Amino acid sequence: MVVIMKQNFTREQMEAAVRFMEAGGVRVMVSKGSETTILGAEGNAAGIDREKLEQLPGVERVMAVSEPYKKANRKYHPDDTVIALPNGKSIGGKELCVIAGPCSVETEAQINAVAERVKRAGAAALRGGAFKPRTSPYSFQGLEDEGLRLLRGAGDHTGLPVVTEIMDVEHIDLFQRCVDVIQVGARNMQNFNLLKQLGRHTDKPILLKRGMSATIEEWLMSAEYIMASGNPNVILCERGIRTFETFTRNTLDLSAVLAVKQQSHLPVVVDPSHACGKAWMVERMSMAAVAAGADGLIIEVHNDPQHAWCDGAQSITPDQFDALMPKLKTMAECVGRTLEV
Ligand code: PEP
Ligand code: MN
């Protein structure tokens, strides 16, 4: 249940409405938006007399909320959430946020070379996996701690915030110290303990990828786990879902971007690289994602894709990234957004 306050309500009126709701057995989340102030009920609202609540002075209207996610729900928070990055960039505002970098950190020379190139082209943040979730235990598993150290070094050297995936709750302290945006991969979207611990122990932005067979509601419920545990800074990432199609690695669900932007106030980025699995598709799918209203992109860029230790087939080169950015700027302007390149 949410209560929408009248334009000119007084503080006393709002406090009275909050007390009335609390007496009905819920906790109340106050969201002061640019146009309206909303009181969102958390918990079972069955004990609240809706008609009486609607009669209270200062109350405009009471709305039932059927969705199981509350903190992630736009009805509880009508304004878009904008998440700040440490370099002054942000995600969820008017400017598009492009995150780029290799699938995995391989060597110091590799991560530094890619970081410099994507920074020069206008990327807002650097990606690079250090702990990799691989289907086969015989595949490269990431440089782990050393990978994090090299990624941090490349980030510091270029001034780019770094984004990397966490797989284990034991690493939260380490990530808290040296990562700017913590990625939860598709395979861990429903690792509920990891989500809860990330909510409790950090307020760093969490880039939450959609599970490969997760519905939009399941994905938003995973965001809710992090938020309900104390961290409101969640960025959603559509990275393709598994369908019957085998031509592409996954099927990029761009309609999910619209759905999630409608249902939630959280920022949404699109990962065209893991969605398609083919480097030649990345440019057009990135442009399509911007047209669909994505707040940003996360794109795999490698300086030598043919010899990449992981995901070379879907990685674009720095030159291709240079060519892509001005096209994204043009697309951004078509949909009322900006991109500095
Ligand atoms: C990745 O970003 O490197 C990755 C493994 O992505 P996903 O979890 O979407 O498969
Ligand atoms: Mn990858």
Side-chain angles (χ1 to χ4, degrees):
M1 170 189 285
V2 294
V3 174
I4 296 141
M5 299 300 292
K6 287 194 167 129
Q7 290 295 346
N8 52 359
F9 70 91
T10 65
R11 214 186 69 204
E12 290 70 30
Q13 289 171 341
M14 186 182 89
E15 285 168 359
V18 169
R19 277 196 304 274
F20 186 87
M21 292 168 77
E22 285 172 345
V26 299
R27 282 186 31 201
V28 180
M29 198 166 100
V30 179
S31 168
K32 290 195 169 77
S34 53
E35 285 174 11
T36 45
T37 290
I38 281 174
L39 314 178
E42 284 176 29
N44 185 356
I48 301 175
D49 184 332
R50 191 176 152 169
E51 272 171 31
K52 274 196 188 142
L53 178 57
E54 212 149 27
Q55 300 304 314
L56 292 183
V59 170
E60 170 79 35
R61 173 158 71 89
V62 177
M63 258 179 8
V65 175
S66 53
E67 297 85 9
Y69 45 90
K70 311 293 176 195
K71 288 183 187 287
N73 200 319
R74 198 180 272 284
K75 289 183 187 142
Y76 279 63
H77 187 293
D79 289 356
D80 287 338
T81 283
V82 181
I83 295 179
L85 297 177
N87 59 344
K89 299 279 184 182
S90 59
I91 177 150
K94 191 167 184 211
E95 187 173 6
L96 275 191
C97 178
V98 181
I99 304 165
C103 179
S104 309
V105 179
E106 298 169 5
T107 63
E108 187 167 21
Q110 173 245 17
I111 192 66
N112 286 340
V114 177
E116 277 165 28
R117 289 293 304 269
V118 300
K119 161 81 194 223
R120 216 186 310 148
L126 175 68
R127 67 151 287 150
F131 296 90
K132 296 300 303 175
R134 303 306 300 277
T135 301
S136 165
Y138 307 116
S139 301
F140 171 56
Q141 303 285 305
L143 294 183
E144 304 185 337
D145 299 61
E146 176 64 2
L148 274 193
R149 193 182 69 75
L150 297 177
L151 180 69
R152 181 73 268 163
D156 290 344
H157 179 66
T158 51
L160 290 175
V162 298
V163 184
T164 195
E165 176 167 353
I166 193 163
M167 295 208 296
D168 196 323
V169 285
E170 282 179 12
H171 291 147
I172 295 178
D173 283 348
L174 176 64
F175 275 56
Q176 173 69 23
R177 274 182 269 124
C178 61
V179 171
D180 300 303
V181 175
I182 303 176
Q183 176 175 323
V184 173
R187 291 157 190 80
N188 273 311
M189 189 204 84
Q190 286 191 320
N191 181 338
F192 298 118
N193 188 45
L194 179 61
L195 302 177
K196 279 190 222 167
Q197 300 306 327
L198 285 168
R200 279 184 204 146
H201 299 295
T202 182
D203 58 2
K204 300 246 174 181
I206 309 295
L207 187 130
L208 178 66
K209 289 197 153 194
R210 182 180 182 183
M212 53 188 93
S213 59
T215 64
I216 289 167
E217 186 171 293
E218 286 165 344
W219 186 21
L220 289 170
M221 288 309 285
S222 289
E224 191 77 12
Y225 259 96
I226 300 168
M227 299 173 87
S229 306
N231 184 352
N233 303 312
V234 179
I235 302 159
L236 298 164
C237 177
E238 162 61 39
R239 46 77 74 202
I241 49 175
R242 188 165 277 185
T243 67
F244 55 82
E245 185 53 72
T246 54
F247 187 82
T248 44
R249 182 173 178 180
N250 292 288
T251 296
L252 180 54
D253 182 7
L254 281 183
S255 60
V257 173
L258 285 105
V260 149
K261 292 291 294 178
Q262 182 204 52
Q263 296 297 306
S264 176
H265 52 89
L266 296 173
V268 185
V269 303
V270 167
D271 175 345
S273 312
H274 290 89
C276 301
K278 295 184 191 307
W280 64 271
M281 289 190 176
V282 166
E283 179 176 293
R284 286 301 174 106
M285 292 313 264
S286 298
M287 292 168 76
V290 174
D295 296 298
L297 292 154
I298 178 163
I299 300 175
E300 285 189 344
V301 179
H302 196 286
N303 52 346
D304 184 7
Q306 280 177 339
H307 297 105
W309 298 2
C310 181
D311 286 351
Q314 67 193 34
S315 300
I316 60 169
T317 62
D319 286 347
Q320 289 168 330
F321 188 68
D322 281 345
L324 169 62
M325 290 293 275
K327 294 182 183 172
L328 292 181
K329 179 182 165 75
T330 305
M331 281 308 291
E333 285 162 1
C334 287
V335 291
R337 311 290 288 256
T338 59
L339 178 65
E340 277 173 39
V341 296

